[in-house]
Amino acid sequence: MIPDERAGILLVDDMEDNLIALEAVLGSLNEPIVRARSGEEAMKALLRRRFAVVLLDIRMPGMDGFETAANIKRLDQTKDVPIIFLTGMEEDAGYAFRGYATGAADYLTKPFDPWVLRAKVNVFLELHRKNQQLQALLNREQASFNELSKRLAVMEDRLSEEPVDVATLKKEAGKLRQLLSSERSC
């Protein structure tokens, strides 16, 4: 997976008409949309790239939506990807419970309201962007901490030398103070 790649939306449905309808509704979000016609295709797509959300049909031949969701949640690489189950109105009411028990973040029946679907998907896209921002901030903080630790180790080594070079230590302390103050301003 490419780390800086924009996360997309994965559409999983065995019916071409449903995929076309979903693309029409979600195309205005200007995010990459990837189609999968089966649970197996969905798993391959999830292992190739990062997704902010998966829209998953329940009734599909072969690996159904519940099995696909269970496989998604089983893998460390994909377990945090939110899943919105999509199913027909005539389905058993127990499907919703089973969907949530399998790890779904949401559940919509077809036909769905396009505005509601777009709003829900947009929430997951925004959450994904915020998580990426937090991860970038955490990475910067870790890099700063590593730099501070390295400089502190150098100062400790110099303190153990005989005679102690106070002027050099003062310079190092000033650099550490400067690094710390630049971190607080971020």
Side-chain angles (χ1 to χ4, degrees), residues 57-74:
D57 184 36
I58 290 177
R59 296 188 83 189
M60 295 183 294
M63 189 188 314
D64 69 13
F66 297 124
E67 292 172 87
T68 304
N71 285 327
I72 291 169
K73 295 302 179 183
R74 194 174 296 128

Side-chain angles (χ1 to χ4, degrees), residues 177 179-186:
R177 184 175 292 112
L179 191 58
L180 283 170
S181 66
S182 70
E183 283 303 309
R184 279 193 216 131
S185 66
C186 290

Side-chain angles (χ1 to χ4, degrees), residues 131-159:
N131 282 337
Q132 283 185 313
Q133 290 171 352
L134 285 172
Q135 188 60 52
L137 180 61
L138 182 61
N139 292 344
R140 283 194 304 273
E141 291 292 321
Q142 186 63 50
S144 294
F145 176 79
N146 292 343
E147 180 64 23
L148 285 169
S149 294
K150 187 171 83 177
R151 289 182 183 215
L152 190 55
V154 167
M155 285 183 72
E156 289 171 339
D157 287 345
R158 290 202 174 127
L159 278 171

Side-chain angles (χ1 to χ4, degrees):
M1 253 190 277
I2 302 165
D4 294 331
E5 162 184 288
R6 285 189 326 164
I9 303 165
L10 179 59
L11 310 178
V12 188
D13 199 309
D14 61 316
M15 304 292 292
E16 182 68 19
D17 290 347
N18 291 341
L19 291 170
I20 291 169
L22 288 168
E23 284 178 325
V25 169
L26 300 173
S28 65
L29 295 175
N30 295 319
E31 294 294 340
I33 295 175
V34 175
R35 303 163 138 224
R37 301 280 311 251
S38 68
E40 292 84 359
E41 276 186 40
M43 293 307 298
K44 287 177 186 173
L46 282 156
L47 294 174
R48 278 194 299 265
R49 66 165 296 146
R50 183 161 286 156
F51 290 96
V53 64
V54 175
L55 278 74
L56 181 58
D57 184 36
I58 290 177
R59 296 188 83 189
M60 295 183 294
M63 189 188 314
D64 69 13
F66 297 124
E67 292 172 87
T68 304
N71 285 327
I72 291 169
K73 295 302 179 183
R74 194 174 296 128
L75 296 175
D76 283 342
Q77 184 177 345
T78 59
K79 68 181 180 188
D80 295 326
V81 178
I83 299 168
I84 299 175
F85 273 121
L86 300 173
T87 190
M89 199 66 135
E90 72 283 351
E91 301 304 337
D92 182 355
Y95 272 26
F97 174 76
R98 188 171 170 202
Y100 288 120
T102 309
D106 210 341
Y107 185 94
L108 288 173
T109 54
K110 301 173 194 171
F112 49 81
D113 181 332
W115 296 102
V116 171
L117 178 64
R118 192 176 305 114
K120 287 176 183 271
V121 169
N122 202 39
V123 165
F124 289 112
L125 291 168
E126 190 59 32
L127 282 172
H128 182 79
R129 283 189 282 273
K130 296 293 183 193
N131 282 337
Q132 283 185 313
Q133 290 171 352
L134 285 172
Q135 188 60 52
L137 180 61
L138 182 61
N139 292 344
R140 283 194 304 273
E141 291 292 321
Q142 186 63 50
S144 294
F145 176 79
N146 292 343
E147 180 64 23
L148 285 169
S149 294
K150 187 171 83 177
R151 289 182 183 215
L152 190 55
V154 167
M155 285 183 72
E156 289 171 339
D157 287 345
R158 290 202 174 127
L159 278 171
S160 65
E161 296 172 358
E162 290 292 330
V164 173
D165 182 358
V166 175
T168 302
L169 285 173
K170 282 183 178 180
K171 280 186 196 176
E172 286 295 320
K175 289 177 184 177
L176 282 173
R177 184 175 292 112
Q178 189 177 22
L179 191 58
L180 283 170
S181 66
S182 70
E183 283 303 309
R184 279 193 216 131
S185 66
C186 290

